[in-house]
Structures are given as C-alpha cells and as structure tokens.
Amino acid sequence: MKDKVVVITGGSSGIGKALAFEFGIRGSKILITGRNEEELAGTVLALRAKGVSAHSLRADVTRPEDNRRMAEEAVRLYGGIDVLINNAGISMRAIFEEVDPEVIRKVMDINFFGVIYATKYCLPEIMKHRGSVVGISSIAGFRGLPARTGYSASKFALNGFLESLRTELLHTGVHVLTACPGFTASNIRKRSLTLDGTSQGESPRKEEKMMTAEECAAHIYRATVKRKRTLVLTLQ
C-alpha cells in the first residue's frame, strides 16, 4: 500500500481513525472525511506527526455533492484514488414498535446511501488504478439483531450492494471487500440513536472486553492487501 491514495469516510474517530493510521504508517497517502472539523484537524495533525501524508475534508456522506467534492479533492491532492474505505456509519438501539421511522431513514441515509454516493464518485478513479472498494459492514448484515431493525436493514442492503458491485466489476481488476467486524470498542455505541433520534450517550456493553479499533484496522488492512472478498471478525 505504499504511495497508494486511500480515502476514508468517517475517518476522524473509531475504526476510521485507526484505519487512517494503519494505512498511513505503511506509506499510504490519506484523505479522511467527517462532519466534525475539530476531530478531523486533530487526527490529521496526529497522522502528520507520524510522518504520514494526510489531509481532511469536512463532508457529510448523505450529501451527494459532498461526496463529489471528496473525490475531486483526492484527485487534486494526490492525482487519483486507489482505495475507498466506506467507514462512516451510525447505529441505533430501539424496539421497532417504539421507534420513529425517521430514525431508520437517517440510519439508511448514512450507512447505505452514504456508501452509494461515495462509491459512485470515486469509482472512475479506482477503476483506472484497479484499486479497492471497501465497505465496513457488520455481523448485523448477516443476521437481523433485535432492537437493531434499521441498523441491520442498512447493513443487509450494504452487503447486497457490495456483492452486486463485485460481480459487475469482476473483469475490471477492481477489488471489493465486505468487512464485518463484531463488537468493536469505538464511539459508535455512544453515538447510537435511540427511539426518538437522540444519541444514546453511554455504551451498554463492556468496551474493554471488545476488539480494539486498532486490531480491527490491522485485519482490514491485511484483507485489502490480500484482496479478500469477505472478512468476518467474530465467531459470534
């Protein structure tokens, strides 16, 4: 991955941030996006302190125009795109009977349509370089989890999209990876949406017993290098 251009959505915290370091310290050129400008700036400074070529762009994956700008910025900065890691995501925790349907719509907008938009705008460059499209999915994309109706639905949709895309691109040299972590210590549960769309605030699980974001990133890096089709990071 040395000198490869890697674009990571949701790259300022959690698994996305860990991926920026994992690829960056191995020589990749990094562009991270996210909605929190302060977090983005802090992550870029930390990456550059390690000698990584890194830039950030404030962008919302649910906005097609922001994704177009992201692809254009990567080309402007580095001359192309080799790897897109669709990492931006949000979770939810609410029984379907009680949840506001708009919460599920928001989860779908970020977890599914965000991937659609980012991939659409980055794919022409990735095809030129015979690079990789990586989707950070979940075990919830294989089994519907209670109190996770919207989240599981978004990840099932993501898995279906990536499988179809992989088949369409079979003879182009483009690699498509579906990465499915289990429970990983990150901010996603703290930011998880409740039945009315507010953030949960505290994780209901023991984060210290989970796989770290750094361990998860190392597995995803290796799977990208080996151009694996699917990566499942739990026996659960």
Side-chain angles (χ1 to χ4, degrees):
M1 288 294 151
K2 183 172 173 55
D3 294 324
K4 300 295 185 184
V5 178
V6 180
V7 176
I8 305 171
T9 66
S12 61
S13 65
I15 294 173
K17 181 177 180 178
L19 284 164
F21 276 91
E22 186 68 30
F23 279 80
I25 61 175
R26 297 176 187 277
S28 299
K29 301 171 183 178
I30 306 296
L31 174 65
I32 58 171
T33 73
R35 293 182 294 181
N36 188 314
E37 202 142 17
E38 189 176 333
E39 285 186 355
L40 287 168
T43 300
V44 167
L45 283 174
L47 285 165
R48 289 176 178 173
K50 295 286 188 181
V52 177
S53 176
H55 290 82
S56 67
L57 178 71
R58 187 176 183 276
D60 183 340
V61 291
T62 67
R63 299 172 185 257
E65 178 63 20
D66 282 12
N67 288 279
R68 184 185 64 78
R69 287 194 302 110
M70 175 185 74
E72 290 177 348
E73 183 71 356
V75 173
R76 186 187 72 81
L77 289 167
Y78 299 124
I81 302 169
D82 295 290
V83 179
L84 168 66
I85 303 180
N86 289 293
N87 169 75
I90 196 166
S91 187
M92 62 161 286
R93 187 180 182 86
I95 298 297
F96 179 73
E97 182 184 2
E98 301 171 349
V99 73
D100 183 341
E102 286 303 311
V103 174
I104 295 179
R105 182 184 295 277
K106 183 174 181 179
V107 172
M108 288 296 296
D109 279 346
I110 296 172
N111 293 0
F112 178 65
F113 283 104
V115 175
I116 298 296
Y117 298 142
T119 305
K120 185 70 174 178
Y121 287 107
C122 291
L123 189 58
E125 287 295 323
I126 292 170
M127 290 180 73
K128 287 180 190 176
H129 298 270
R130 299 167 68 90
S132 296
V133 176
V134 179
I136 306 302
S137 186
S138 168
I139 53 170
F142 292 102
R143 290 290 181 270
L145 304 182
R148 296 285 194 279
T149 49
Y151 183 72
S152 286
S154 71
K155 295 303 186 181
F156 267 78
L158 173 59
N159 287 3
F161 165 67
L162 293 171
E163 185 171 312
S164 294
L165 184 68
R166 182 183 300 115
T167 306
E168 288 183 8
L169 299 174
L170 198 59
H171 302 295
T172 67
V174 173
H175 161 237
V176 179
L177 168 65
T178 304
C180 300
F183 292 109
T184 306
S186 71
N187 288 330
I188 194 167
R189 272 169 301 285
K190 295 180 182 179
R191 296 175 178 175
S192 181
L193 302 180
T194 59
L195 57 88
D196 61 358
T198 55
S199 294
Q200 182 172 251
E202 291 298 325
S203 172
R205 296 184 171 272
K206 294 181 178 179
E207 302 273 325
E208 67 276 5
K209 293 187 177 181
M210 298 179 187
M211 178 181 286
T212 67
E214 290 73 22
E215 288 174 304
C216 183
H219 285 293
I220 294 169
Y221 175 85
R222 287 193 292 272
T224 305
V225 170
K226 293 179 180 179
R227 298 173 81 85
K228 285 190 172 183
R229 187 188 71 168
T230 307
L231 175 69
V232 178
L233 292 174
T234 177
L235 293 174
Q236 234 168 348

